[in-house]
Amino acid sequence: MKKTFFFYLLVSISLTTSLHAQQTQKAQNPIIFADVPDISIIRVGKNYYMSSTTMHMSPGVPIMKSTDLVNWKLIGYCYDTLNKVGVDAMNLDNGKSTYGRGSWASSIRYNKGTYYVSTFAQTTGKTYIYTTKDIEKGPWKAIEFKPMMHDHSLVFDDDGKIYMLYGGGKLRLVELKEDLSGVKEGTDHVVIENATLPTTPEGSRGGLPAEGSQVFKVNGKFYLFNISWPPGGQRSVIIHRADKIGGPWQGKIGLQDKGVAQGGLIDTPDGRWFAYLFRDNGAVGRIPYLVPVKWVDGWPVIGDENGKVPMTLDLPASKGLIPGIVASDEFTRKKNDAALPLVWQWNHNPVNELWSVTARKGYLRLTTGRIDTTFLQARNTLTQRTIGPVSSGTTSIDVSNMKDGDFAGITLLQRNYGIVGVKIEGYKKTFVMINASNNNPVVAATVPLNQNVVHLKVACDFTNKKDVADFFYSLDGKTWIPIGTQLKMAYTIPHFMGYRYGLFNYATKETGGYADFDYFRIDNK
């Protein structure tokens, strides 16, 4: 009897372990636990390519590649700087900034051997189209024109005509010139008077109108995806269908679950369909989800058998976001290496003559070039995404060549930022922790410092939107000492971006000092 019991016990344990292994070998939602919003995806052969929004960051409009829809790697950007000269807001000049603006939702398309990525910018009031024959190596050719077409979708029709469908609530359609240099005169007209109607009755007050348009042509019909936020409800997917791009369009609700919305359709080489969408997830930002799609009576039906967003997907498991989306950097460079890996973006346009990875081998040098009174106006802060559910960023700095008034360290960048760094005051060096919770920067701690090489760390917890961060310093890189107060992170609309790790150095009294960063290491434990 005992033998039989233990036999069945072993079988049960074996089956449970096997089932768990099968589950862990499948993809989990969210597919990317990091700020990758406004995604647009295409498939060319067996490869998927995705563009996203990074707004005020430089370089901008990131391009990512995957072969399984789950594991993504940054492969490039459409531009280095949105506008190289003449725009104070992009350069953090004269007290101006473009936080939360810059370039917004993009549309990626492939047509007759050419890749197209279009976007628009509130900062400049322009629409941009970037083209290349080689999406993985470039170069990208830029075309820009006015007006700015908000949340547009680029459409290549079968008859060779090229359109953009854009707007919010009231959606409009324009035909573009053959060379994409602008809008054909007299073609701008309304195609859907109120695209929000499927979720929000006429005359309702509050909520957000349908926006984030993405258009697809499947089996001869056009499908338009939008996001809306009905008053008292949750973010929702709206789908419209038409036989012609100009309509008439018929609309219905596509998905209402967990606030997962805004995106579009993608198919796999074996004929399966998914909706790619994102979810607002607190301080880490807007994070991508995949949801299975089946076709019923010519409509894409989003969700599992219950019409919900599943947490497990019949796709390969994620191998993690490191190093494809974020990565550590020892700042060592071989002869043909890029100066900065693609995971890095500058806060606004950089001043290239004031940073270097060659001035001192194995270090990132940030040199001050002007006087700044506030951290958020300081130039040349080098950033990359935070990731969830937990992660930490660590750096080491040689502060021996900083000048009086200089402040260098590591930050969690958002409007309500947190900082741990080294401040030089006369001949004195001090560890300083600043906590800007509630948009009110407060010096939460100062600790005297008597050496030139220091180690700094920030640790984030985004689990279940806990959204807190703790700050540490070390004199030897081994023993970590907490400093200051816990940062309560908050996703704020003025920045419109998830928290980012950042390395910075700015001057408050005199210019020309520099800080040498030995490494940046990111960990998801």
Side-chain angles (χ1 to χ4, degrees):
M1 186 67 178
K2 289 183 178 180
K3 289 183 178 180
T4 303
F5 171 78
F6 284 115
F7 171 76
Y8 282 112
L9 179 62
L10 289 172
V11 169
S12 176
I13 292 172
S14 178
L15 288 173
T16 301
T17 304
S18 176
L19 179 61
H20 178 72
Q22 291 175 21
Q23 290 174 340
T24 57
Q25 289 170 6
K26 289 185 176 182
Q28 306 288 316
N29 267 322
I31 58 165
I32 301 175
F33 207 136
D35 192 49
V36 185
D38 303 333
I39 52 180
S40 181
I41 303 178
I42 57 171
R43 179 176 63 84
V44 180
K46 295 182 179 180
N47 296 322
Y48 302 94
Y49 298 101
M50 175 168 67
S51 61
S52 178
T53 294
T54 47
M55 291 177 286
H56 48 275
M57 294 291 168
S58 180
V61 187
I63 306 297
M64 288 153 272
K65 178 185 177 181
S66 176
T67 57
D68 59 15
L69 278 176
V70 176
N71 293 283
W72 293 91
K73 180 181 180 180
L74 278 158
I75 60 171
Y77 293 89
C78 288
Y79 64 78
D80 288 329
T81 55
L82 185 64
N83 276 75
K84 298 183 185 300
V85 294
V87 181
D88 285 352
M90 289 299 300
N91 297 325
L92 289 172
D93 282 338
N94 298 315
K96 296 182 179 180
S97 74
T98 192
Y99 285 113
R101 297 188 301 276
S103 61
W104 278 14
S106 58
S107 178
I108 186 170
R109 294 292 181 260
Y110 177 75
N111 187 61
K112 297 179 180 179
T114 299
Y115 294 88
Y116 300 81
V117 178
S118 58
T119 186
F120 68 101
Q122 285 190 332
T123 309
T124 62
K126 293 181 179 180
T127 297
Y128 298 81
I129 301 177
Y130 301 93
T131 65
T132 185
K133 294 287 186 180
D134 188 341
I135 194 170
E136 299 190 29
K137 296 181 181 179
W140 290 91
K141 175 186 175 183
I143 302 169
E144 59 185 70
F145 56 84
K146 289 187 176 182
M148 172 194 81
M149 282 183 276
H150 176 90
D151 277 13
H152 66 255
S153 183
L154 185 61
V155 182
F156 292 88
D157 207 349
D158 296 337
D159 60 5
K161 293 183 177 180
I162 309 170
Y163 300 91
M164 279 186 173
L165 193 152
Y166 72 100
K170 181 182 292 187
L171 302 185
R172 308 183 70 91
L173 182 72
V174 298
E175 184 180 347
L176 299 182
K177 297 176 182 178
E178 292 182 3
D179 63 359
L180 303 177
S181 62
V183 176
K184 279 190 177 182
E185 189 175 350
T187 65
D188 192 341
H189 65 286
V190 176
V191 288
I192 303 179
E193 187 66 34
N194 185 354
T196 318
L197 274 179
T199 61
T200 308
E202 191 77 63
S204 297
R205 294 181 177 273
L208 292 176
E211 60 179 6
S213 294
Q214 295 199 36
V215 178
F216 310 88
K217 195 169 189 179
V218 182
N219 295 329
K221 291 185 181 295
F222 289 95
Y223 296 88
L224 166 63
F225 274 55
N226 290 105
I227 181 177
S228 80
W229 195 346
Q234 61 179 307
R235 294 177 187 267
S236 309
V237 176
I238 297 174
I239 304 174
H240 283 81
R241 183 180 72 177
D243 293 325
K244 297 180 180 180
I245 187 66
W249 292 87
Q250 177 188 6
K252 62 190 297 185
I253 295 173
L255 178 70
Q256 289 181 316
D257 185 39
K258 300 181 177 70
V260 174
Q262 189 165 335
L265 288 168
I266 193 69
D267 67 339
T268 64
D270 60 5
R272 291 178 295 158
W273 288 83
F274 291 88
Y276 57 84
L277 307 163
F278 71 73
R279 182 184 190 185
D280 289 78
N281 207 74
V284 76
R286 296 177 285 172
I287 60 180
Y289 279 66
L290 283 175
V291 187
V293 168
K294 59 180 180 290
W295 290 87
V296 179
D297 297 329
W299 286 93
V301 178
I302 307 173
D304 59 17
E305 62 275 7
N306 298 311
K308 302 296 183 181
V309 176
M311 300 313 292
T312 302
L313 298 161
D314 188 19
L315 289 168
S318 172
K319 298 175 183 177
L321 305 185
I322 304 172
I325 302 298
V326 298
S328 298
D329 193 345
E330 299 297 316
F331 298 118
T332 55
R333 301 290 184 264
K334 297 179 181 178
K335 183 177 181 180
N336 295 320
D337 286 346
L340 291 173
L342 293 170
V343 295
W344 290 113
Q345 288 176 285
W346 298 99
N347 178 19
H348 293 63
N349 292 343
V351 184
N352 288 319
E353 61 268 26
L354 295 178
W355 68 271
S356 174
V357 289
T358 59
R360 180 180 179 185
K361 188 176 180 180
Y363 287 80
L364 166 71
R365 176 167 294 178
L366 296 179
T367 303
T368 64
R370 73 177 188 192
I371 305 302
D372 284 299
T373 57
T374 63
F375 165 66
L376 292 178
Q377 285 298 129
R379 301 191 70 175
N380 280 14
T381 296
L382 187 61
T383 81
Q384 60 173 286
R385 294 169 177 84
T386 56
I387 61 174
V390 296
S391 62
S392 64
T394 311
T395 192
S396 175
I397 316 176
D398 183 341
V399 302
S400 57
N401 292 289
M402 293 169 61
K403 292 189 174 182
D404 183 23
D406 288 1
F407 188 24
I410 188 170
T411 183
L412 285 171
L413 176 61
Q414 235 276 359
R415 185 190 68 170
N416 299 357
Y417 60 86
I419 285 175
V420 59
V422 175
K423 183 74 179 287
I424 308 298
E425 295 176 292
Y427 296 100
K428 296 181 179 180
K429 299 184 287 288
T430 308
F431 284 117
V432 177
M433 189 272 163
I434 296 178
N435 189 322
S437 294
N438 302 316
N439 192 29
N440 180 31
V442 173
V443 176
T446 59
V447 177
L449 173 64
N450 295 309
Q451 64 187 54
N452 288 326
V453 175
V454 299
H455 305 264
L456 307 170
K457 178 164 69 172
V458 294
C460 306
D461 188 350
F462 301 108
T463 307
N464 298 323
K465 296 185 182 179
K466 191 174 181 181
D467 293 351
V468 294
D470 296 289
F471 296 75
F472 306 84
Y473 71 91
S474 175
L475 299 177
D476 58 8
K478 298 177 182 179
T479 302
W480 292 98
I481 303 168
I483 183 172
T485 53
Q486 188 173 70
L487 177 70
K488 177 56 180 174
M489 296 182 284
Y491 187 97
T492 69
I493 294 301
H495 278 217
F496 216 170
M497 183 175 286
Y499 275 77
R500 297 177 73 97
Y501 295 113
L503 307 178
F504 71 91
N505 178 34
Y506 69 95
T508 64
K509 293 182 180 180
E510 55 181 309
T511 63
Y514 59 86
D516 287 339
F517 294 79
D518 189 10
Y519 61 80
F520 172 80
R521 295 168 187 160
I522 186 169
D523 198 340
N524 62 352
K525 299 180 178 61

